Every structure is written in C-alpha cells, then in structure tokens.
Amino acid sequence: MAIGRDELTRRIDQALGRGKADLVIRNTRFLNVVTGEVADSDIAICGDRIVGTYDRYEGVEEIDGRDLTVVPGFVDTHVHCESTCVTPTEFDRCVLPRGTTTAICDPHEICNVLGEQGLRYMLDSAGGLAIDLRVQLSSCVPATELETSGARLDAADLVRWRDHPKVLGLAEFMNFPGVFQKLPEVLDKLAAFQDRPIDGHAPLVRGRELNAYLSCGVRNCHETTGADEAWEKLRKGMQVLIRDGSVSKDVDALAEIIRPETSSFLGFCTDDRNPLDIAEEGHLDHLIRAAIRRGAPVAHVYRAATWAAARGFGLHDRGLIAPGQRADLVLLHDLEDCAVARVIKDGRPVGPDTFAGRPAVAPVGLESIRLDPVEAADFAVPVAGSSRPVIGILPGKIITEHLTLAVPQRGGQAVADPERDILKVCVLARHGTNRNIGRGFVRGFGFRRGAIASSVGHDSHNVCVVGADDADMAVAVNRLIALQGGFVAVAEGRVIGEIALPLAGLMSLEPFETVEHQLRTLRGAVRAMGCPLAEPFLQLAFLPLPVIPHLKITDRGLVDVDRFEVIAA
Amino acid sequence: MAIGRDELTRRIDQALGRGKADLVIRNTRFLNVVTGEVADSDIAICGDRIVGTYDRYEGVEEIDGRDLTVVPGFVDTHVHCESTCVTPTEFDRCVLPRGTTTAICDPHEICNVLGEQGLRYMLDSAGGLAIDLRVQLSSCVPATELETSGARLDAADLVRWRDHPKVLGLAEFMNFPGVFQKLPEVLDKLAAFQDRPIDGHAPLVRGRELNAYLSCGVRNCHETTGADEAWEKLRKGMQVLIRDGSVSKDVDALAEIIRPETSSFLGFCTDDRNPLDIAEEGHLDHLIRAAIRRGAPVAHVYRAATWAAARGFGLHDRGLIAPGQRADLVLLHDLEDCAVARVIKDGRPVGPDTFAGRPAVAPVGLESIRLDPVEAADFAVPVAGSSRPVIGILPGKIITEHLTLAVPQRGGQAVADPERDILKVCVLARHGTNRNIGRGFVRGFGFRRGAIASSVGHDSHNVCVVGADDADMAVAVNRLIALQGGFVAVAEGRVIGEIALPLAGLMSLEPFETVEHQLRTLRGAVRAMGCPLAEPFLQLAFLPLPVIPHLKITDRGLVDVDRFEVIAA
C-alpha cells in the first residue's frame, strides 16, 4: 500500500510525458462519470495508477483503444462470495474478467458455519487475489436466536479484526428487529463501528422504524425491492444498493430511481449470484445493462456502479478515470450494452497470467456436515388442526408469503400434496450441537415427485430439504452427508443430480467452469422433476432465513418473521 | 466520540416515537440535498443526532419551524483561521451563528511563524470549540525556499500528528513547482499521506502538469479562478472548492460549473475572509447567496456546500438532514437568500450560552516580531537599468501582473512615483534568523502619500510595507514592532490607523466585534490616503506569496513565480 519517492517520481515523469508511460490506451474514448461526457483521450498508466487523461501519451506498452469506450472498474457493493459456490480464488477468476474490479464481501455464510476460522480464511484469501476483495465483518453470527448456527461472533470478536487492511466495517445488519428491541449484543456491535461503514439490511422497513435503524449509523440497504421504498430510503439519506442476484432481482423495479440527482447516492450489488447466472447473464455488467435497458440515464448508471459505490464505502482511490486514481478500467465494445472487451486491474491487463501466480490458501471446514444418517420417519409431521401455515414461494424473490392452507392427513400425519403443489420442507441442524429438525410445508416448488436437499441454507446453513416423498427426502439428505455438503436432487430413491460443496458445506473445490457445468446439469434434472422455478436450490437456500418476511423455517420450526418468533409447525 | 448502548437506546426510542425527542423542529420544511425536494416534515433530534424525518414528532424542547426552511450546516472546506485576524475561539463565535458548522482549516500561517508550537495551539483550540474545526497539516512550512520563514515542518514532523482526532490529512500543497521538480522533501510529504485527503493549490495549473499533480494523490483545488480551468479540473476528477475570500472572489466566475451533474464534486471555501467582510457580506451564507444569484440551481448549491463538501473529506456523519446524521442545521427565513434565522450545532440551538463555557487556550507567540527599529535609508533601492520589474496589483485577485516599467531615479536611487501609481514595496525578515530586506516596486495601491505596513505577509509573515515615502515606511514598520504585529497606516510621519495582532503577529486578542470595528476604521484611513482598493491590507499581505503567479516579493527580493526564482530587484 505505502509508496515512496520512487513511485511518485515515476508518476510525475510519466504524467508530464518526460518518458513513456508504463501503459497507454491510445486513441480511445472514455466515459467521464463526473460530467457525463464521453471524452476522446489517451489514458496513461504508471504502475497501478492512472497518470494522464485528456492528452496524448506514449507507452512502453500500448493498447489500441480506437473502437472501445473505457469506463471505471465496477464495484460490487455487497456480495457473499460463498454464494458463487466457489472459493474466493475462483470468484476472482470468474468475475474480474467481467469488469468487477472491487467487491465488498460479507463472509456471513462461512462465519455462520466456522466462526473466526471462516473469517480468517476469507481474509487470507482476499490478500492474494487480483480483484480487490474488501471484507465487511459479519454482524449477525448467528443471524438470530431462532435457529442453530455453527458459531457465534460477538462485538469483541469483531473489534479484533477492525484494523485488518482488507476490513472496511460492519456487514449487513440483518437483525433489524433486534435493533428495535434494543438487544444489548446488537447495540454493542453497532456502537463499536459508528465511525465505519455499517451495511444495512432493511427489507420493507419504513417510517419510524427506518428512522430508528438509520439513527444507529446504518448507511445503506441492498434489500430494497420497490421504487417507493427506495425513494423513502434515499430521502432519508440511505445509500440504495440496487441488487440483482440469482434469486432476488431488483434492477427492473429500481431502475427508475437512477437519475442525475440521485446517482451519487446509489450503488449496485449482486448479493448472491452463482456461476451459472454469471455465465449466462453476467455479473455487474448484467446489472448495468439491465438498468440502461430500463431507460436509466447511461452516465448515471455507470456513476452509481463506480464512483458512488466506492465513495459510499470511503474508497477514495477508485471510481473515476482520472490522474491519481487506481487504474481499474473496463474497455467496452459498446457503452449501452456494457459489452466487456478487456479489463485492466491495478494498471495491468487481465488475462490468464493475472491468475497464474496467486498464492494458494488451504481450504477449511471440510468436515462440517455433522449429521447422522436419516430415514423417512424423521420427517413425519403430526396432525394439528384442519389448516396450517404454509410458506408461499414467490419466484425470484426471497420474501415469502405466509399462507394458511388445508394440508392432507394420513395415518395421524400431515402429508405433502404434490397435486396442489404443497410439499414438505424440513431443516436439520448440522453443526453437531443438537439434533433439531424443523418441519413444515411449502407451496411453489411445483414438482410432483422426488426431493431436493441443500447444505446451503441461509444463514446458519443447516441442511434443508423439500420433497414430495419422505423416503426421497431421506435419500437426498444422506447423499449430502456423504458429499459433506452440496446440492442433491433425488427421484424414486435415486440421485439424479448433485454438486459437492465440501468447503464448509458451501463451496466447491473445483474451478468455476466445472461448477457452472454441474449447476446446469442439476438445474436440468430438477426441471425434469417438474419444478418451474428458475433457481430451485437458491429458493430452497433462502427458506431458512428468518430475517426476511414473512414465513420461514429453521431447525427450530416455522418462523413468523413479522412476529419474529417460532410458531407451531 | 465513542458512544455506547445508552445513547443508541435513546436514539432508537426517540426515533420510534416511544418517548419525546430531545428537540423537535416542528411543522417545518427542509431541503433534501439528495433529491433536491423541499419536504414538509418535523425534524427530531436526540443528543447530537437527527433521529427522525418525514414524520411527526413531539419534543421535550420544540422549535416552531412554520416559517422556516432548514438546510444542513455548511462546511467551509478550506480556511486559514488566522486570516480572520482573531483567535479560533473568536472565529467560532463569529462564523457558527452564520451557519458554518464545520470548518476545515490549514494552520499554515501560524505554523510558518511558530512551527509545531503553532500547530499545537490550533489543535488545542479546536478541541474546545462549538464549531467542528478540523485541521489539515500544513504541508509547506516554509512555503518555498525563496523566503525566510519562522519554522520548518518536514514530513516526519507532520506524520507525528496524523492520528490526532482533529486532523484529517495534508493541507494545501502549494509547492506545486516542487512537485514537478520532484524535490525529495516534497515527495516524502505526499507519500506519507496517500491514504488521507491531500488538499491542492493549483492556480492556472493545466494539462500535463495538472495530471502530474493529481497523480501524487492531490484531491482538490480552491485556487481556481476561471470556469474553463474549473471544467478541466472537474473532468480530471479534482474536487473544485469554490472560494470567495476577502481578496480572491471566485464565485461569480465559477457559479456556472454548479450543475446537477457536478454538484457532488464541488465544495465552497472562504480561504481568507476577515471579520469586516463576514459582518458586511457573510461567511459561507454569502457564497451560497452569491452562487444562487448567479443562476446556479438552488438545491445543488446547497449540496455542494454541505454533503459534497463533507464527503470529499471523508466526513460521513454530516451534510444531510437524515436520521443518523449529526444534527448540524441551519434554519433559514429564505432558501434562495440564504437568510439565516437560527443555527443548531450538535443538536443544540446556537446562542450566547453556546460560547460561554468553552475552555480558554493561552495565546502563544506574543513576541514574534524580531526586528530592530528601521530608518528611511533601509529602504533605499540602487539604480539598475532604465526599466525594472514592477508588481501589478489586480484588484480582488491574489494573482499579480509582471510589469516592466520605467521607474524614476534620484540621487543614484530608484524612487517611488506616486503620480504614476508606482510605489515602493519592501519585505523585512522578522523571525530573528537574518536581517534580509527585499525591495521592489508595485503599481495599483494608488495612494499619493504615506505608507501601510503589515506583519501578515503570506506565507512566511515577514513584515511588508508599501509606501509613497521612505520615511513614512520607516514610521509604519517601527510602529508595527511596538505593537508586536498588526496593520498600520502612516501619513506625514503620523500613525493614522492601526490594529494590533500580537498573537504570532497574526491574530488579535480582542473580540471579533472589536476587530471588525478596528478594521473598518483602518480601511477608512487608507481610503482617505487615496487608495482605491477594497482590501489594501489583504492585497499587501499576498504580495510576498511566491506560489501565486506572476511577480511577488519576499525578504530575498522580487520573485518571478513562473520561473520560480528570485530575480534582480
């Protein structure tokens, strides 16, 4: 980080044109996110910095920029790397070539499984990547007391990591009900990071509750799904981070808030986006493209994705194509299509060499599925009344409906009714501290037979399984135990698709291309089962998340999120 | 700074309306600098924070805001407090009631006289004020090697103060020629503050030189006097701090750059503004008013003066009227006129009580004019050629012209020619290290008789004196020595006006109202001498500043700033 006389000397000489710059993009155009203009200019680079714009330069190395438009590197303001199902090393290789040069991650998933060991793994990994991966300290481990997590991080644990060079502040403060309840451990964490960026998580939080949440120093929110909600947050000074993940896709609804007046107060994020979607749609390039297609002003979409995103987190060295700024650049074939031709990170063109020499970090948590084999009877649900709460899936949303439906009874048990799309859903504690199983019903998965199971189950990552048939559910869970984590699809007692995620039960040890292929195969298998959802495993993975309205399920049972309590299953 | 559970508990309860807020501005309107809207709302305050907007609240204390419009407190992004001629304690009392709730100062003047003793005095003073006075560490002490200063602060001296709670970064890096020359001590200072705000000072610096300057991490410039220059700086990512001081008034020329696209990249500053101008025109309120009168969009003028100013310096807790933000508010009778009715700082209405209990800081540098009495002969200038370089004053500018004029000769000496408005100007080293006297001629002061002298002479604050008559010049300097600093006007051997500035030869020990009165009387006296300048002592004080083009004078002689060297007088 620290530089000395020599590097400044080189910058000054190269900026003044006293010698050739290290690298020059010649005869190009770039988008100036300050003025909104597209400027004809060379871009001169010395080391990791831009040293010349609005002028002509010669370079030791030169790139012909004649048919390209250059924009600043994109900043993903909120991402759980674990949700790409690959290691940070593969995340790097997957998203940097698409223009994401900075990512601000919340290692919430691995921390909920492994605690500080998981945090250390992410920080160690971050130190060796080409992308600048910044880490927000996970604020909600466990997310709530309504579930069994694998670890606990209290305020003192977090404060120990405050001054790590990759750490910015406090990650998404999901436990907003805990704020209104003034829970001491919640207040302690917030108090300890008042001078740092504190990320928000405030789906549908409005009015005085939003005021209270903001009053605790929370700066932003990536959980906004409607324009009206976004306007209220903006008006209250909250940076709105427009998300398009693999499950929750908010760009279409929020594109209208991107305006010349507001763009400085916005950002984009992917939150949870898997390699399949990255391959098929893109990463931040997809969000930018989508916002522009919805009619948002081009220059302000890019300002939100670059300068505004960086400044919201106190990163002053990036987000502009200007002398002194970090040379993180995206060279586009087309500005409106955000068609990425090349990427430059820290002044060096990104290519295979970029990723070749990076240090390896040993995987952790390879035996984290601490469950004994199960059988069908473990999923039995006793009868209780004529109707019961049923989780209603909303395709492409992580918010669910709280339904009340009649569920068939057979032999003293409530059972799935695939004809009416009512399936059984169970969550099994997998951290070895108890043998909890939460049981309930869900509508929206739509398959008539079989079961799917996952060791990714936000946020405690207990094992979750949905099925039309208890026996298939047992086969799926037992296969997951054998894999030590992953996604499994079972039909008629047979595994018809799977992917192993043995690193903390969250991440594959394979290259992202392999993971992409496995996910594609798995998706096909689940579609063949009759599931209409675009992302069945991600919809499954968010069912246990008891900080997202309205009805969820954890290892302790069904959770009414609006009341923030476990209700009878 | 640090808060705990109790304060967060209070904020949450008051934001939720569970109890009365500490203070509520009821039934008011406020300017939302995010959206540009004027919103009808109460504003609830708990302690030093805003906790509620866009809602109705009840308060323990209430202010009826019916006929008022509320805006965020103003941020003066660059000010030399010393130039108000009063102590920081009086600066506070003078400007806070006008809406300036944060000021970012460069204690450059006192540091050039007293070194670290001066810096410590400013930091100690800042700690006890009502206004939030932040300190940038003076980067150019001495400003150049072309003059004799009272102290020297090298990179190691500055680094020692980096982590003081009132310190932000490095103050205006005036020695831009030293950057292009790659002077080691210049590079060391820049290198040591790469991760902090580094203020620029780049009058007329353009093209590749501007690129080189920015490549060293400089973030902003307050020395921009023309719109074309400002556009280049903005395009190169430099925050343009629009100045209107007592001498250099740039708002009229720069108002056109304030636009919805650019306002996030701007700020306002007063740089050098004395109590007389503050009383007659205003402080930042004047700049805002002036920009609006020139047609700049109202909401964006305020955004530049508040949010954009704060964020440029990494201050995330102020600049918006929003929950969680510091309750620094200005209540206006009229938004477009920026007519200040009341000010709230840290949640408390500003009034006489605000200033009553502040701790006193002992004055320093009370015997800093280390000069022996002079006589007329000390100012004699030997003949040298038929014409000579003459400094051309530009009224209201600190930039000067480099003229070449014939100067009359008498008895082997070059002498003043008041009929042609050619006066003698001398600068006398006053720090006790040498007895240098620089001698030259100046056009533009316009008086036919007498002399004026000052111990304020940027940036080394040697004694400077301009006169139509060598004997009067000697009387003026000798009176300055007796006062141990100040401004003196002399005609026909008699002192006709004066103000004592005994604190480092820069600041009065009197209340600002007294200083305002003394300055008014003094201005009248100099006008009676025939001087047409609005601010003769400030124009005099900037004559020795060898980092502002084009011709200046120091104790070492006339300085050609464009060549950055002392030339024959």
Side-chain angles (χ1 to χ4, degrees):
Chain A
M1 293 286 277
I3 61 160
R5 283 181 200 170
D6 291 352
E7 190 58 22
L8 288 179
T9 295
R10 280 175 17 88
R11 288 186 197 170
I12 293 163
D13 283 338
Q14 294 187 18
L16 292 173
R18 284 179 189 156
K20 289 185 175 181
D22 292 344
L23 173 65
V24 175
I25 308 171
R26 294 194 75 166
N27 302 313
T28 197
R29 290 180 303 277
F30 75 85
L31 175 68
N32 190 315
V33 301
V34 177
T35 62
E37 302 158 326
V38 174
D40 288 309
S41 170
D42 290 350
I43 300 171
I45 295 166
C46 169
D48 63 359
R49 297 287 158 155
I50 299 164
V51 294
T53 56
Y54 290 93
D55 219 312
R56 297 295 164 195
Y57 283 95
E58 292 188 1
V60 176
E61 195 179 338
E62 296 188 347
I63 292 173
D64 180 5
R66 201 171 307 270
D67 297 319
L68 302 172
T69 306
V70 189
V71 295
F74 311 142
V75 180
D76 190 345
T77 52
H78 176 72
V79 58
H80 305 286
C81 288
E82 304 96 310
S83 296
T84 58
C85 303
V86 295
T87 59
T89 310
E90 286 300 300
F91 173 80
D92 187 20
R93 207 170 59 81
C94 181
V95 306
L96 179 57
R98 293 182 169 274
T100 305
T101 51
T102 298
I104 299 169
C105 81
D106 171 9
H108 179 75
E109 320 310 342
I110 195 170
C111 287
N112 263 290
V113 177
L114 303 175
E116 279 192 77
Q117 184 191 19
L119 176 60
R120 199 175 300 114
Y121 170 76
M122 294 301 282
L123 287 168
D124 288 349
S125 296
L129 304 181
I131 196 174
D132 190 3
L133 185 68
R134 298 300 182 108
V135 177
Q136 293 281 64
L137 297 172
S138 303
S139 65
C140 299
V141 179
T144 69
E145 300 299 331
L146 300 171
E147 60 199 305
T148 305
S149 76
R152 179 171 293 275
L153 295 177
D154 63 23
D157 296 323
L158 300 179
V159 166
R160 267 200 296 282
W161 295 94
R162 249 178 80 101
D163 295 322
H164 187 287
K166 284 290 184 182
V167 167
L168 293 175
L170 197 59
E172 58 173 322
F173 213 94
M174 293 187 293
N175 191 2
F176 59 84
V179 173
F180 310 140
Q181 292 168 35
K182 301 174 287 186
L183 302 179
E185 65 275 20
V186 160
L187 302 185
D188 286 349
K189 286 176 186 170
L190 290 166
F193 286 85
Q194 288 292 299
D195 60 342
R196 295 291 188 95
I198 301 178
D199 289 343
H201 163 114
L204 307 182
V205 177
R206 307 289 294 265
R208 288 180 174 181
E209 290 197 339
L210 182 59
N211 291 354
Y213 191 60
L214 288 164
S215 294
C216 294
V218 173
R219 291 192 191 170
N220 60 50
C221 183
H222 60 272
E223 292 286 350
T224 309
T225 48
D228 187 60
E229 183 186 350
W231 280 114
E232 180 179 347
K233 287 174 176 171
L234 277 174
R235 286 188 177 106
K236 290 181 174 175
M238 194 174 212
Q239 186 178 20
V240 174
L241 308 177
I242 301 172
R243 172 181 58 188
D244 230 58
S246 285
V247 176
S248 200
K249 296 171 190 298
D250 307 318
V251 169
D252 281 357
L254 300 184
E256 69 166 82
I257 68 169
I258 307 170
R259 301 188 182 176
E261 288 76 17
T262 58
S263 62
S264 297
F265 302 87
L266 299 173
F268 287 101
C269 68
T270 61
D271 201 356
D272 296 295
R273 199 164 179 83
N274 69 38
L276 188 50
D277 285 330
I278 296 170
E280 291 179 349
E281 293 184 331
H283 199 241
L284 282 182
D285 56 316
H286 165 69
L287 281 75
I288 291 166
R289 199 158 40 237
I292 292 171
R293 284 192 185 147
R294 293 289 289 194
V298 176
H300 292 280
V301 171
Y302 281 102
R303 183 191 285 187
T306 59
W307 181 82
R311 289 305 181 281
F313 289 84
L315 300 172
H316 282 262
D317 65 346
R318 66 197 74 188
L320 295 177
I321 298 179
Q325 291 275 295
R326 190 170 290 279
D328 291 356
L329 302 170
V330 185
L331 285 58
L332 301 174
H333 292 301
D334 184 277
L335 187 62
E336 300 204 3
D337 267 351
C338 195
V340 178
R342 292 182 82 165
V343 175
I344 291 173
K345 175 70 186 113
D346 293 331
R348 285 183 291 273
V350 171
D353 289 353
T354 307
F355 304 106
R358 296 168 305 157
V361 176
V364 294
L366 295 177
E367 293 184 343
S368 71
I369 310 294
R370 299 183 187 169
L371 261 181
D372 295 327
V374 294
E375 51 192 50
D378 290 323
F379 304 122
V381 178
V383 167
S386 60
S387 66
R388 38 170 79 239
V390 172
I391 301 169
I393 296 287
L394 295 168
K397 303 265 180 221
I398 64 177
I399 290 175
T400 61
E401 289 181 302
H402 184 154
L403 308 173
T404 305
L405 299 174
V407 172
Q409 304 176 2
R410 198 181 306 145
Q413 291 179 24
V415 296
D417 184 359
E419 295 299 313
R420 287 167 57 223
D421 189 15
I422 296 175
L423 303 182
K424 192 176 280 181
V425 55
C426 293
V427 175
L428 298 82
R430 64 106 153 169
H431 298 294
T433 47
N434 64 43
R435 293 166 181 268
N436 286 350
I437 302 181
R439 300 172 183 89
F441 292 89
V442 62
R443 192 172 77 180
F445 277 91
F447 50 82
R448 301 290 179 88
R449 63 200 175 92
I452 62 174
S454 168
S455 60
V456 179
H458 297 278
D459 283 329
S460 291
H461 302 296
N462 289 307
V463 166
C464 34
V465 55
V466 166
D469 178 277
D470 290 358
D472 282 350
M473 290 170 75
V475 172
V477 170
N478 289 334
R479 180 60 187 159
L480 261 195
I481 297 169
L483 295 174
Q484 275 301 299
F487 301 141
V488 173
V490 168
E492 280 115 33
R494 200 169 57 83
V495 173
I496 59 169
E498 68 180 26
I499 175 172
L501 303 173
L503 199 160
L506 300 170
M507 292 178 256
S508 171
L509 302 178
E510 302 295 323
F512 76 85
E513 295 91 342
T514 306
V515 172
E516 178 201 328
H517 176 74
Q518 291 172 324
L519 288 172
R520 199 183 303 272
T521 306
L522 190 60
R523 185 172 67 180
V526 180
R527 281 198 186 147
M529 287 163 63
C531 179
L533 296 172
E535 293 289 351
F537 281 97
L538 289 178
Q539 302 257 204
L540 175 60
F542 282 100
L543 284 188
L545 185 60
V547 291
I548 298 285
H550 294 282
L551 185 64
K552 297 281 180 170
I553 184 168
T554 75
D555 62 297
R556 293 182 53 199
L558 283 169
V559 176
D560 181 329
V561 180
D562 302 315
R563 288 158 57 193
F564 210 56
E565 60 187 32
V566 175
I567 59 174
Chain B
M1 292 286 277
I3 62 161
R5 283 181 201 170
D6 291 352
E7 191 58 22
L8 288 179
T9 295
R10 280 174 18 87
R11 289 187 196 169
I12 293 163
D13 283 339
Q14 294 186 19
L16 291 173
R18 284 178 188 158
K20 288 184 175 182
D22 291 346
L23 173 65
V24 175
I25 309 171
R26 294 193 72 166
N27 303 312
T28 197
R29 289 180 302 278
F30 75 84
L31 176 68
N32 190 315
V33 302
V34 177
T35 62
E37 301 159 326
V38 175
D40 287 310
S41 171
D42 290 350
I43 300 170
I45 294 166
C46 169
D48 63 359
R49 297 287 157 155
I50 299 164
V51 294
T53 56
Y54 290 94
D55 217 314
R56 296 297 163 194
Y57 284 95
E58 292 189 0
V60 176
E61 195 179 336
E62 296 188 346
I63 292 173
D64 180 5
R66 202 172 307 269
D67 298 319
L68 302 171
T69 305
V70 189
V71 296
F74 312 142
V75 179
D76 190 345
T77 52
H78 176 74
V79 58
H80 305 285
C81 288
E82 303 96 312
S83 296
T84 58
C85 304
V86 295
T87 59
T89 311
E90 286 299 301
F91 173 79
D92 187 21
R93 208 170 59 81
C94 180
V95 307
L96 179 58
R98 293 182 170 273
T100 305
T101 52
T102 299
I104 299 168
C105 82
D106 172 8
H108 179 75
E109 321 309 342
I110 195 169
C111 288
N112 263 290
V113 177
L114 302 175
E116 279 192 79
Q117 183 190 21
L119 176 59
R120 199 176 299 114
Y121 170 77
M122 294 302 281
L123 287 168
D124 289 349
S125 297
L129 304 181
I131 196 174
D132 189 2
L133 185 67
R134 298 300 181 106
V135 178
Q136 294 280 65
L137 297 172
S138 302
S139 65
C140 299
V141 179
T144 69
E145 300 299 332
L146 300 171
E147 60 200 304
T148 304
S149 76
R152 178 172 293 274
L153 294 177
D154 63 22
D157 296 324
L158 300 179
V159 166
R160 266 200 297 282
W161 295 94
R162 250 178 80 100
D163 295 322
H164 188 285
K166 285 290 185 182
V167 167
L168 293 175
L170 196 60
E172 57 173 322
F173 214 93
M174 293 185 293
N175 190 3
F176 58 85
V179 174
F180 310 140
Q181 293 168 33
K182 300 173 289 185
L183 301 179
E185 66 274 20
V186 160
L187 301 185
D188 286 349
K189 286 176 186 170
L190 290 166
F193 287 85
Q194 287 292 300
D195 59 342
R196 295 292 189 93
I198 300 178
D199 289 343
H201 163 114
L204 307 182
V205 177
R206 306 289 294 265
R208 288 180 174 183
E209 289 197 338
L210 182 58
N211 291 354
Y213 191 60
L214 287 165
S215 294
C216 294
V218 173
R219 291 193 191 170
N220 59 51
C221 183
H222 59 272
E223 292 287 350
T224 309
T225 48
D228 186 60
E229 183 186 349
W231 278 115
E232 180 179 347
K233 288 173 175 169
L234 276 174
R235 288 188 176 106
K236 291 181 173 174
M238 194 173 212
Q239 186 178 20
V240 174
L241 308 177
I242 301 172
R243 172 182 57 188
D244 229 60
S246 284
V247 176
S248 197
K249 296 173 190 298
D250 307 317
V251 169
D252 282 356
L254 300 185
E256 69 167 80
I257 68 168
I258 308 171
R259 300 189 183 175
E261 287 76 17
T262 57
S263 62
S264 297
F265 303 86
L266 300 173
F268 288 101
C269 69
T270 61
D271 200 357
D272 296 293
R273 197 163 181 83
N274 69 36
L276 189 49
D277 285 329
I278 296 170
E280 292 180 348
E281 292 184 329
H283 199 240
L284 282 182
D285 55 316
H286 165 69
L287 280 75
I288 291 166
R289 200 158 39 238
I292 292 171
R293 284 191 187 149
R294 293 289 290 196
V298 176
H300 292 280
V301 171
Y302 281 101
R303 183 191 284 187
T306 59
W307 181 84
R311 290 304 182 279
F313 288 85
L315 299 172
H316 283 263
D317 65 345
R318 66 197 72 190
L320 296 177
I321 298 180
Q325 292 276 295
R326 191 170 288 281
D328 290 357
L329 302 170
V330 185
L331 285 58
L332 301 174
H333 292 301
D334 184 277
L335 187 62
E336 300 204 3
D337 266 352
C338 195
V340 178
R342 293 182 82 166
V343 175
I344 291 174
K345 175 71 187 113
D346 293 330
R348 285 183 291 275
V350 171
D353 289 354
T354 306
F355 305 106
R358 297 168 305 157
V361 176
V364 293
L366 294 177
E367 293 185 342
S368 70
I369 310 294
R370 299 182 185 170
L371 262 181
D372 294 328
V374 295
E375 51 193 48
D378 290 322
F379 303 122
V381 178
V383 167
S386 60
S387 66
R388 35 171 81 239
V390 172
I391 301 170
I393 296 286
L394 296 169
K397 304 264 180 223
I398 63 177
I399 290 175
T400 61
E401 290 180 303
H402 184 153
L403 308 173
T404 304
L405 300 174
V407 172
Q409 303 177 2
R410 197 181 309 144
Q413 291 179 24
V415 297
D417 185 358
E419 296 297 315
R420 286 168 59 223
D421 190 14
I422 296 175
L423 303 183
K424 191 176 280 180
V425 55
C426 294
V427 174
L428 298 82
R430 63 107 153 169
H431 298 294
T433 46
N434 65 43
R435 293 166 180 266
N436 287 350
I437 302 181
R439 301 171 183 88
F441 291 89
V442 62
R443 192 172 76 180
F445 278 91
F447 50 81
R448 301 289 180 89
R449 62 202 176 90
I452 62 174
S454 169
S455 60
V456 179
H458 297 277
D459 284 329
S460 290
H461 302 295
N462 289 307
V463 166
C464 34
V465 56
V466 166
D469 179 277
D470 289 358
D472 282 350
M473 289 169 77
V475 173
V477 170
N478 289 333
R479 180 59 188 161
L480 260 195
I481 297 168
L483 295 174
Q484 274 301 298
F487 301 141
V488 174
V490 168
E492 280 115 33
R494 201 170 56 83
V495 173
I496 61 169
E498 68 180 28
I499 175 172
L501 303 173
L503 199 160
L506 301 170
M507 292 177 257
S508 171
L509 303 177
E510 301 296 322
F512 77 85
E513 295 90 341
T514 306
V515 172
E516 178 201 327
H517 176 75
Q518 290 172 325
L519 287 172
R520 199 183 303 272
T521 305
L522 189 60
R523 185 173 66 181
V526 180
R527 280 201 185 144
M529 287 164 63
C531 178
L533 296 172
E535 293 289 350
F537 282 97
L538 289 178
Q539 303 255 208
L540 174 60
F542 283 99
L543 284 189
L545 186 61
V547 291
I548 298 284
H550 293 280
L551 185 63
K552 296 282 180 169
I553 183 167
T554 74
D555 63 297
R556 293 182 53 200
L558 283 169
V559 176
D560 181 328
V561 180
D562 303 315
R563 287 160 56 193
F564 210 57
E565 61 187 32
V566 175
I567 57 174

